[in-house]
Amino acid sequence: MLIVQKYGGTSVANAARIKAVAERVVRTAREGNKVVVVVSAMSGETDKLINLAHQVSANPKEREMDLLLSSGERVTSALTAMAIEELGCKATAFTGRQMGIITDKVHTRARIEKITADRAKKALADNYILVIAGFQGITETEEVTTLGRGGSDLSAVAIASALDADLCEIYTDVDGVYTTDPNIVPDARKLDKISFEEMIELASLGAKVLQTRSVEFAMKYEVPLVVRSSFNDNPGTLVTKEDKEMERVVVSGVAYDKNQTKITLTGVPDRPGIAATIFKRIADAGIIVDMIVQNVSIDGKEADISFTVPKTDSKKALKLTDEIARELSARGVAVREDISKISIVGVGMRTHSGVAARMFETLAKHGINIIMISTSEIKVSCIIDLKYTELAVRVLHETFELALK
Ligand code: ADP
Ligand code: ASP
Ligand code: MG
């Protein structure tokens, strides 16, 4: 078999962890498999580099940011290859560029366009174990890019697809995908399998165990994907196509996201085209708006428009909104940073009613006020006060009977 194994930050956090990774890789190879390893930077390293950049510049250029951030994965890929060689197997480390990962030009969140894996295929044929630096690629004009936070997951899935691997294993610090973050709810239950659709929702709603785009990619190209722990040999979670059994479960997971800011434009004159004006301007600035709620006053003259954006974009979004407010003669702009988004996800929601009501009831019973709501076919999300995040996750996990029995 050809197996791609991706190791996250905690799995390569220090020399001892890197040696443990090398042992697992060598074991897998000695069982008769070809192995391609994808590594993240050491845990905390990417944050450290971002922090350094902000210490020397108020507004670092994204091109240099990518050059800087890609260094973390270079370090671990080289070290991992050395550790594997030390155990007696041939190994070679590749940067994103050497692996032929070609992306678009969107620095800090580039999309992979193609992977020209010729060199990798040759090295595999020569019985090398490959160790690829995750999270990075290169544009046609040879600029270094990165794939967005958590992007090594995407590197792994895309490489698995390009090499037509039999399996893509994501090794992390938990045993698999749980009904909710096991670090918040200790009796969260590990799922044996989860559908691509549910995993995409959970990931995009804040469950960082897999990066959203990596799951979208795996679904599109049918990459067999498993999440496992690098700290033990427990079977992990298979991320796969939906089946009949999955539909019977109404709610499969609870997610939370503390990375949200709510911006409200008050007293906007209510006429056609206003929402289009506002959100076009925000989209043009590359900011992704999540929830939107509009209320029109009873006399129909004025509207309040609230929306949420990622915290990292809040300053930029606020500046734009202030400009827009002046141009539209809106009454004002208000911001709330102390919010979070709580979501329940499950393919069974398509066929069961009353799920949202149960969620709202549960939050109400615990005195948690709902600030915004949004729903889709397989999820319900509420914006709440940040300080109630953990409580909300716990009580929803309980209401929908997700815990270990
Ligand atoms: P890595 O560095 O290996 O990529 P991450 O920190 O990105 O690891 O992702 C693993 C973390 O995801 C876990 O430690 C856990 O706290 C968090 N997490 C959030 N939601 C879930 C969930 N539903 N199941 C498992 N882990 C989750
Ligand atoms: N090191 C990068 C990050 O912290 C990529 C990754 O870990 O997947 O976001
Ligand atoms: Mg991750």
Side-chain angles (χ1 to χ4, degrees):
M1 289 218 298
L2 172 60
I3 304 179
V4 173
Q5 298 188 330
K6 178 258 170 177
Y7 292 91
T10 39
S11 306
V12 291
N14 52 45
R17 292 299 312 148
I18 289 176
K19 284 182 174 176
V21 164
E23 269 167 30
R24 187 185 295 267
V25 170
V26 167
R27 197 182 347 134
T28 312
R30 294 204 168 127
E31 283 162 2
N33 303 295
K34 293 225 177 261
V35 191
V36 176
V37 183
V38 176
V39 287
S40 288
M42 293 181 181
S43 62
E45 184 62 24
T46 307
D47 288 332
K48 203 166 93 192
L49 293 171
I50 293 174
N51 196 298
L52 269 172
H54 287 116
Q55 283 182 44
V56 297
S57 163
N59 203 2
K61 281 217 312 256
E62 290 190 328
R63 177 184 179 277
E64 275 64 33
M65 212 54 193
D66 274 350
L67 214 51
L68 175 72
L69 297 194
S70 67
S71 68
E73 272 74 7
R74 275 186 177 232
V75 171
T76 47
S77 63
L79 289 171
T80 306
M82 291 174 195
I84 294 171
E85 288 255 329
E86 196 60 27
L87 297 176
C89 282
K90 291 202 293 183
T92 185
F94 280 174
T95 62
R97 177 210 181 123
Q98 289 167 332
M99 182 64 206
I101 300 182
I102 312 296
T103 73
D104 64 15
K105 296 190 172 68
V106 185
H107 281 292
T108 75
R109 49 181 186 284
R111 284 186 172 270
I112 296 178
E113 288 180 340
K114 63 175 185 226
I115 299 185
T116 53
D118 309 343
R119 210 172 145 185
K121 284 181 187 157
K122 172 148 194 326
L124 277 175
D126 290 340
N127 288 321
Y128 278 93
I129 292 172
L130 306 188
V131 188
I132 323 289
F135 182 48
Q136 54 186 270
I138 192 143
T139 66
E140 294 282 6
T141 54
E142 308 213 322
E143 296 290 355
V144 173
T145 49
T146 61
L147 308 176
R149 295 309 303 268
S152 297
D153 294 338
L154 177 62
S155 307
V157 172
I159 289 168
S161 168
L163 296 174
D164 206 13
D166 300 288
L167 182 61
C168 180
E169 296 179 315
I170 306 288
Y171 284 93
T172 181
D173 57 357
V174 288
D175 285 357
V177 180
Y178 280 71
T179 47
T180 193
D181 188 343
N183 289 318
I184 289 202
V185 180
D187 64 355
R189 185 166 41 86
K190 189 179 80 188
L191 302 165
D192 295 329
K193 57 183 176 178
I194 184 168
S195 68
F196 284 120
E197 287 90 344
E198 286 169 320
M199 193 62 238
I200 289 170
E201 287 286 5
L202 281 177
S204 68
L205 295 168
K208 67 171 181 164
V209 61
L210 283 174
Q211 187 219 31
T212 312
R213 271 159 61 184
S214 72
V215 192
E216 288 168 350
F217 197 105
M219 176 162 153
K220 189 164 168 199
Y221 296 102
E222 300 191 354
V223 178
L225 188 62
V226 171
V227 180
R228 299 182 59 180
S229 167
S230 69
F231 291 80
N232 60 47
D233 286 327
N234 297 345
T237 301
L238 177 68
V239 188
T240 185
K241 279 192 202 140
E242 187 179 327
D243 61 29
K244 279 270 160 287
E245 212 178 302
M246 291 171 178
E247 233 173 66
R248 259 180 266 136
V249 185
V250 184
V251 173
S252 326
V254 180
Y256 66 94
D257 180 0
K258 295 181 174 179
N259 179 36
Q260 299 266 316
T261 299
K262 172 175 169 250
I263 299 180
T264 305
L265 257 166
T266 55
V268 187
D270 191 33
R271 53 170 197 265
I274 294 279
T277 310
I278 298 171
F279 294 109
K280 170 145 196 333
R281 286 272 287 280
I282 292 178
D284 285 349
I287 299 170
I288 297 177
V289 171
D290 181 13
M291 286 196 198
I292 301 176
V293 172
Q294 170 171 307
N295 279 319
V296 179
S297 60
I298 295 176
D299 62 11
K301 286 191 183 135
E302 282 190 348
D304 289 346
I305 301 178
S306 292
F307 56 94
T308 60
V309 296
K311 263 210 174 83
T312 38
D313 286 334
S314 66
K315 267 200 204 124
K316 206 155 76 170
L318 187 59
K319 192 161 161 262
L320 268 176
T321 313
D322 275 333
E323 280 169 28
I324 298 168
R326 269 196 303 278
E327 287 163 26
L328 297 178
S329 314
R331 202 168 317 121
V333 177
V335 197
R336 269 197 75 174
E337 297 272 2
D338 59 335
I339 56 161
S340 71
K341 182 168 66 174
I342 302 295
S343 311
I344 53 173
V345 173
V347 285
M349 276 186 218
R350 290 198 196 109
T351 44
H352 292 76
S353 57
V355 183
R358 262 174 86 194
M359 177 180 191
F360 305 154
E361 246 168 44
T362 305
L363 295 176
K365 206 169 92 196
H366 290 84
I368 302 170
N369 190 34
I370 300 172
I371 303 169
M372 289 166 109
I373 299 171
S374 87
T375 63
S376 81
E377 225 190 355
I378 65 163
K379 71 122 204 262
V380 185
S381 301
C382 296
I383 297 284
I384 61 167
D385 220 313
L386 181 68
K387 66 173 186 262
Y388 293 128
T389 311
E390 282 78 9
L391 174 65
V393 171
R394 275 202 304 276
V395 295
L396 289 172
H397 195 258
E398 217 173 273
T399 294
F400 291 101
E401 297 172 6
L402 295 174
L404 277 173
K405 298 235 165 56

